[in-house]
Amino acid sequence: MSTDKNRATAAAILPLVGGPDNIVSIAHCMTRLRITLRDRSLVQDEALKALPAVMGVVEDDTYQIVLGPGTVARVTPEFEALVAEARSAAPAAPAAPADTHPVTADELAAQGAAIKNAQKAKNSTPFKLFLRRIANIFVPLIPALIGCGIIAGLNGFLTNMHWVPAVVPALAAMASGFMSLIAVFVGYNTAKEFGGTAVLGGAVAAIIVFPGVAKIDAFGQQLSPGQGGVLGALAAALLAVQVEKWCRKWVPEALDVLVTPTLTVLISGLVTIFGLMFVAGEVSSAIGTFATWLLATGGAFAGLVLGGLFLPLVMLGLHQALIPIHTTLIEQTGYTVLLPILAMAGAGQVGAAIAVYYKLPRNRSIRATIKSALPAGFLGVGEPLIYGVSLPLGRPFITACIGGAAGGAFVGLFNQLGTAFGSTAIGPSGWALFPLLDGKSGMGMTIAIYAGGLAVGYLVGFAATYFFGFTRLLCTSLNREEGDEELTAGSTADTPSTTSPVTEEVAVPVR
């Protein structure tokens, strides 16, 4: 997208979310513009969903507009600038709602709205909101993890090929520098997310990676730099936030600038050194040991379960809560064995979408949506297909999960047979994961197994959806061209149940 197009997209979104005065805060993750609203009723959902750049919306603790990777990082600054400019000038008049969607899109939107009403209460539990806050700590780190992971893969390739040996040490430093200090960034973001002073969280977390901790004997346990990893940094920064808040409450204002930072670092630092580093280190080791044991002993079954359940996690927005586990595994072994298996869920989604495309040859609106979303789907960005196609249709979402389960079982089986591999970074999926793959059985075998898993996911997702994804009546009612008469009440009654346990409070129509 050009700068003008990004600004035009932001300008189109702003009035449809209630204008600048309705915006409390703005943020973004890998694919979504996340807005905290003052008044949810001011949002014009249908007009917003009709915008060409909008792939879908998710209503959660924030109002999330799915724009896709790359695009969201460019649109968000333009959106922030427009909000700032509009607040200093006269408020603009709200834009008129866009034209009505074709009937098939409205039908799916109505189905998604019913799903939202049935599930909204279940998806706002304190536990799920806490997990999302944890995910918010790690999401800003993903670009660095991706960049360093790709450089690590390039460095490994050059090392194995014995090419340009003078460059290899430099690449190793680039790839490892961020990972060696990731605990500091985690601590900084943790304090920021939970209402503390960000730099104090980073300062306490820095204790974990400081080389001098190797000289400390904590209750008979010799500490080592990095012990506890990101989990220790997370816990240390959470503790620092609580200590800081206590100090702000009780320390006199005249002494606050001196006493509060000192007590925060001192108390949290002592607890970290003489407790949290050891405990978090044991937890981190247990995570690595369990992941290795799980795939070594029950690889096929474990892969089936993980691959089959990951799409519902994505649908619920909880998949980012797995980032601390992935990061811990990368710290320990250099790669996360879970990510290639979880990526199979995206393969099942792609296969299901292709089946829907061929199953509904006369439905131009759904086919156009699939054609526009498939490239992102092949690269591992499944949200446009989930929210725009399979979830509103109901059954195709389940059959996509079946495809993901089959692909996960395929990859898990090879882990069980001794060919373990993983991803050196998190974030990418699908085809975009190939440059990040690493394993102990050679790059050729690793790529072949991962590609085989994708193929299985595509094929099973396609077959399951094509043969079992629609009832005959639903297929007939949806298989209409624009201009055909509206869907009958009977076809509406045949749409998937709104009380399905695998649905989410998301209503995204197909354009």
Side-chain angles (χ1 to χ4, degrees), residues 53-64:
V54 175
M55 298 177 177
V57 298
V58 179
E59 186 178 355
D60 210 327
D61 50 329
T62 57
Y63 193 81
Q64 303 170 17

Side-chain angles (χ1 to χ4, degrees), residues 326-494:
H326 290 310
T327 309
T328 297
L329 293 175
I330 292 172
E331 277 189 315
Q332 293 179 345
T333 63
Y335 53 80
T336 167
V337 294
L338 299 179
L339 190 55
I341 292 176
L342 298 176
M344 297 301 112
Q349 178 65 68
V350 167
I354 295 174
V356 172
Y357 184 88
Y358 284 105
K359 195 73 172 178
L360 304 177
R362 300 185 66 200
N363 193 311
R364 294 180 181 178
S365 62
I366 293 180
R367 287 166 66 92
T369 298
I370 293 173
K371 285 177 67 175
S372 65
L374 267 181
F378 279 114
L379 294 175
V381 182
E383 291 164 314
L385 291 174
I386 293 174
Y387 299 129
V389 181
S390 65
L391 182 59
L393 288 174
R395 280 196 186 186
F397 181 80
I398 298 174
T399 53
C401 292
I402 294 173
F410 180 89
V411 175
L413 176 62
F414 280 91
N415 273 272
Q416 189 173 357
L417 296 176
T419 309
F421 67 94
S423 171
T424 57
I426 56 178
S429 185
W431 294 359
L433 199 62
F434 278 111
L436 296 171
L437 295 176
D438 191 18
K440 300 178 180 178
S441 300
M443 186 56 66
M445 178 65 74
T446 296
I447 291 176
I449 295 172
Y450 182 70
L454 290 177
V456 170
Y458 294 150
L459 291 173
V460 174
F462 178 91
T465 304
Y466 193 87
F467 293 108
F468 307 107
F470 297 89
T471 64
R472 180 176 300 179
L473 186 58
L474 179 60
C475 185
T476 301
S477 67
L478 289 174
N479 205 19
R480 297 170 180 266
E481 292 182 351
E482 294 181 21
D484 287 354
E485 60 180 345
E486 294 186 357
L487 300 178
T488 64
S491 66
T492 304
D494 191 59

Side-chain angles (χ1 to χ4, degrees), residues 86-129:
R87 284 175 176 171
S88 62
D99 293 336
T100 305
H101 293 296
V103 64
T104 50
D106 286 340
E107 178 68 16
L108 293 183
Q111 178 66 20
I115 290 171
K116 178 181 72 174
N117 292 333
Q119 296 293 321
K120 185 174 182 179
K122 296 181 180 179
N123 293 321
S124 298
T125 64
F127 177 69
K128 289 182 179 179
L129 294 177

